[in-house]
Amino acid sequence: MPLAAPPPPITVVIDRHDDAIHTHTALAAHHPPSGRITLHPGPGTTSETGLAHDLLAALGKPPLIPGRFPGGRQPAWEAATAWITALPVTRLTVLRAHRLTARRTMRLLELRALTGTHLTLVCHRPHLPAALHQVLRTVDYSVTADFEAARRHYYGTSITEPPPADEPAGPASRWLTLPALDRLVSYDSPRPCTAPCTPPPIIWRHRPPPVPLTARTAQRVAHRLHAATAHPRLAAAAAAALFTGASLQQLATARPRDYDTAAATLALHDRARYTDGCAAYPVPPWASVFLRAAACFARLVSGEGQELLAAPGDRGHLLRVAETARLRPPQPPAARRKGPVGRVEWDWRERQEAERYEAIPVSRARPSRR
């Protein structure tokens, strides 16, 4: 994923006396909606993965990524890179940089090279430590000990704090019941196209289109999904289910090439026409950040040949993400529940259709032509 232009030089801030004003100012500049992240690495760890987890937490996400991965290695850095690219984050300030190992510093330099983020390293010591100085010899960087200059780097060109985003306060405890999730666990089984396929825009022939989310509901859904998982594919799959009304099996047919950022469309495949065939769905603005993150993550982790969204084997993980975000399809009346109270029944619509089919009298069934 080469950048069109080289990233800006790294800024090293020397906080000679470990003055609290530097730490407080850098933390106050942290505002992801404005593209500013301040990373305060947790004490007592020197692992690269631990630093990636700290970065995901700074992005407002739970650090653990569900699923099995090759070699048992969590793609935490790939997930952080994908989110920073998609949000987008333009400035990353790292406190306590004098404690970074050479390998952790190299990870940050790689992140900067992939995302183009302006990286500021704050050393709370009179001089650069040897390990950091050695790594920085490979890149362009400048050093400042002036507080006002450092503050401009923490905030960027404008140090005026914008008004906070209108986000729900506190944990999202109330369920959002969304009919578009009715078919997420549908029993249809479309497969991805093996030959090149450029689907036409969706024409809803066999099912009604999902009702578009209101601006307020879309904001709440996006806020909850951001906080529910650090896994770009799972977050994007949940978002895509809401504007396509598709099943997990059909969502799994999408490949990175099926997301067209310029046209803002997502192509899903269904050559056997279990539903409405191969078609391109318009991506609403609120969901684009999740699709961008998933596309970036797919390129970093597996390339063009793998799923853009959740795979069929990720069903349990995807449902847990939706439930963590308190998103569910319409639920059956209490008298018709199959599970205990409080458990989400994802297949109620499928059961309803199966029961209606079984209730059709034999005399109405079409006779065999044999």
Side-chain angles (χ1 to χ4, degrees):
M1 293 169 47
L3 293 172
I10 294 171
T11 300
V12 178
V13 174
I14 299 295
D15 173 18
R16 298 180 184 278
H17 306 292
D18 196 5
D19 197 327
I21 192 172
H22 272 282
T23 300
H24 293 165
T25 304
L27 291 174
H30 176 83
H31 193 248
S34 299
R36 301 192 303 267
I37 297 294
T38 299
L39 173 60
H40 199 176
T45 176
T46 59
S47 73
E48 298 167 61
T49 301
L51 185 62
H53 288 171
D54 289 339
L55 184 53
L56 288 171
L59 290 165
K61 302 184 178 300
L64 296 180
I65 301 175
R68 294 183 178 180
F69 303 100
R73 185 187 70 85
Q74 265 195 23
W77 279 104
E78 290 84 351
T81 302
W83 288 116
I84 285 175
T85 301
L87 284 171
V89 173
T90 57
R91 310 192 77 83
L92 172 61
T93 298
V94 182
L95 295 169
R96 302 290 156 191
H98 59 278
R99 293 182 177 175
L100 294 174
T101 62
R103 292 185 64 86
R104 287 179 130 200
T105 306
M106 284 301 301
R107 277 291 195 177
L108 291 171
L109 299 191
E110 292 169 4
L111 178 72
R112 163 184 171 266
L114 288 171
T115 62
T117 301
H118 184 271
L119 178 62
T120 299
L121 303 175
V122 186
C123 294
H124 307 267
R125 292 291 185 274
H127 306 285
L128 284 179
L132 184 57
H133 183 265
Q134 185 70 23
V135 173
L136 289 178
R137 291 176 61 184
T138 63
V139 295
D140 292 332
Y141 73 97
S142 62
V143 179
T144 183
D146 180 73
F147 171 72
E148 288 301 327
R151 187 168 186 258
R152 287 192 293 272
H153 286 294
Y154 302 154
Y155 279 93
T157 56
S158 174
I159 61 174
T160 302
E161 185 67 24
D166 183 19
E167 296 175 347
S173 57
R174 295 185 61 183
W175 287 98
L176 288 179
T177 299
L178 304 167
L181 295 175
D182 263 338
R183 291 186 175 272
L184 186 58
V185 296
S186 175
Y187 303 141
D188 61 16
S189 55
R191 296 179 179 178
C193 293
T194 55
C197 176
T198 306
I202 179 66
I203 299 176
W204 303 92
R205 295 187 181 94
H206 305 297
R207 54 192 172 119
V211 177
L213 303 182
T214 65
R216 175 61 174 166
T217 300
Q219 183 187 44
R220 294 170 68 190
V221 166
H223 179 71
R224 292 183 182 198
L225 286 178
H226 274 300
T229 184
H231 201 314
R233 281 178 173 159
L234 295 180
L242 292 173
F243 65 81
T244 64
S247 67
L248 171 57
Q249 286 89 339
Q250 191 173 16
L251 293 172
T253 65
R255 299 294 181 261
R257 63 180 176 272
D258 290 318
Y259 175 50
D260 188 331
T261 55
T265 58
L266 172 67
L268 301 179
H269 301 274
D270 178 23
R271 191 165 296 280
R273 303 189 69 83
Y274 284 94
T275 53
D276 289 299
C278 300
Y281 299 77
V283 178
W286 70 266
S288 61
V289 64
F290 299 105
L291 271 295
R292 290 198 302 268
C296 179
F297 183 75
R299 291 192 295 269
L300 290 170
V301 172
S302 54
E304 290 288 326
Q306 300 299 318
E307 292 88 354
L308 170 67
L309 308 174
D314 292 326
R315 170 174 163 158
H317 298 307
L318 179 58
L319 298 187
R320 278 192 289 274
V321 165
E323 292 179 16
T324 299
R326 308 292 281 180
L327 310 177
R328 67 181 181 184
Q331 295 296 286
R336 302 192 60 185
R337 291 191 63 87
K338 298 292 185 180
V341 176
R343 178 182 297 176
V344 177
E345 296 197 16
W346 288 93
D347 62 345
W348 181 48
R349 187 200 61 82
E350 293 288 325
R351 295 206 316 267
Q352 278 187 307
E353 290 189 358
E355 290 169 2
R356 284 197 295 268
Y357 180 80
E358 292 172 356
I360 297 177
V362 177
S363 60
R364 291 178 55 190
R366 181 174 296 178
S368 172
R369 294 186 179 182
R370 289 189 300 173

